[in-house]
Amino acid sequence: MKFGILVNEGPFTHQASDSAYHFTKAALEKGHEIVRVFFYHDGVNNANKLSEPQSDDRNLVGMWSALAEEHGVELIVCVAAALRRGIKDELLAAGFTISGLGQLVEAGIIGDRLITFGD
Amino acid sequence: MDDFEDDEFDGPVKKFLFLNRKAPYGTIYALEGLEVVLITAAFDQDVSMVFADDGVFQIKKDQETSGINMKNFSPTYRALEGYEVEKVYAEKESLEARGLSEDDLVIPVEVLSAAELAELMDTQDVIVSF
């Protein structure tokens, strides 16, 4: 199956990003296709390479980057939501790209399912 | 932005339903959610919009936001018609619980019960809740 993933919360405050990450990883391991992961609202904070959690905690930003590298998953950050929150190209962790909301709509169109992870 | 901002998009058409459940101020979900609706409509998709729970306050008339230094974006909902978003619904139970009627709203809506909305949702391809 082809899944589009929408992440609406930032890492840490809400579990939504963790759940989205685990779902995406599990889907890929089961042989499903991830059309793309789209980050909206505070979800854009998942792309902030300056994020530096304590060493005994998970590092979600790094986990997304690793997933992109291993599986070639597209990680798209909404430009309007990102700019409003100070997330710019120079702040993006590896694997993330800034683009428009059209990428979310397209994920809904070409995916068999669009799964939202939010509050 | 990208290749897909173009009004000339001629790919497949899916039924998108946007479920708005949050008050217009206090969180950004309503404001940023509305952006998604407008972009989806620009892709010529079959768009429905539902207001339920505190989401019905998003389309309440006479919003006065100067005291909280927020932009009153309720006039933007009137632009939906220009984007050919004509399937707009409000949940009956949510309106009643908040003492609201259709006359209190900035745009015309079709009022449906929770049960009727469930049937509507069953017919959709993509449901996004903000």
Side-chain angles (χ1 to χ4, degrees):
Chain A
M1 196 174 266
K2 284 190 243 226
F3 291 106
I5 307 292
L6 171 60
V7 182
N8 284 340
E9 296 296 341
F12 305 110
T13 304
H14 298 267
Q15 199 179 325
S17 313
D18 292 88
S19 302
Y21 169 83
H22 290 301
F23 180 94
T24 302
K25 190 164 183 286
L28 288 165
E29 285 167 359
K30 289 278 184 189
H32 297 290
E33 184 185 334
I34 300 295
V35 177
R36 71 177 52 100
V37 184
F38 190 87
F39 297 89
Y40 198 46
H41 301 306
D42 278 359
V44 300
N45 290 313
N46 280 278
N48 187 344
K49 73 175 179 189
L50 298 181
S51 169
E52 205 173 308
Q54 291 184 337
S55 59
D56 58 351
D57 195 3
R58 74 238 185 268
N59 182 335
L60 262 172
V61 177
M63 285 153 63
W64 283 118
S65 292
L67 202 63
E69 191 177 344
E70 284 162 32
H71 297 277
V73 182
E74 254 186 71
L75 307 176
I76 303 292
V77 180
C78 170
V79 60
L83 286 179
R84 174 179 275 149
R85 292 166 177 84
I87 302 291
K88 301 187 175 183
D89 275 328
E90 57 266 36
L91 268 187
L92 291 183
F96 289 89
T97 309
I98 290 181
S99 188
L101 272 177
Q103 298 279 328
L104 169 61
V105 180
E106 199 214 28
I109 294 170
I110 64 183
D112 298 310
R113 297 281 189 279
L114 178 67
I115 317 278
T116 304
F117 294 87
D119 187 16
Chain B
M1 187 158 83
D2 54 59
D3 295 334
F4 302 105
E5 204 177 24
D6 191 344
D7 284 357
E8 304 289 309
F9 178 79
D10 58 356
V13 175
K14 279 194 170 179
K15 290 163 95 106
F16 280 76
L17 183 147
F18 294 96
L19 176 60
N20 298 278
R21 302 181 63 183
K22 301 245 183 14
Y25 312 100
T27 66
I28 202 168
Y29 300 106
L31 176 67
E32 288 190 332
L34 185 54
E35 292 293 317
V36 180
V37 175
L38 297 175
I39 297 280
T40 307
F43 271 62
D44 295 328
Q45 300 296 299
D46 182 346
V47 175
S48 298
M49 211 172 175
V50 174
F51 297 90
D53 300 336
D54 278 350
V56 296
F57 286 127
Q58 293 179 21
I59 48 172
K60 170 132 187 1
K61 277 182 190 164
D62 301 326
Q63 296 180 24
E64 169 51 59
T65 59
S66 58
I68 53 170
N69 195 28
M70 303 282 274
K71 183 182 171 187
N72 172 7
F73 64 96
S74 62
T76 312
Y77 293 97
R78 294 202 204 104
L80 288 169
E81 200 181 2
Y83 281 78
E84 293 177 12
V85 176
E86 286 154 356
K87 297 172 189 169
V88 182
Y89 308 92
E91 194 204 49
K92 183 168 177 283
E93 290 87 340
S94 301
L95 289 172
E96 285 176 0
R98 290 161 183 79
L100 298 174
S101 74
E102 287 171 74
D103 295 338
D104 296 309
L105 307 178
V106 294
I107 47 171
V109 298
E110 185 177 343
V111 177
L112 295 179
S113 68
E116 289 167 326
L117 281 172
E119 286 175 23
L120 175 69
M121 288 177 186
D122 262 353
T123 67
Q124 302 295 312
D125 297 311
V126 180
I127 298 179
V128 181
S129 177
F130 287 114

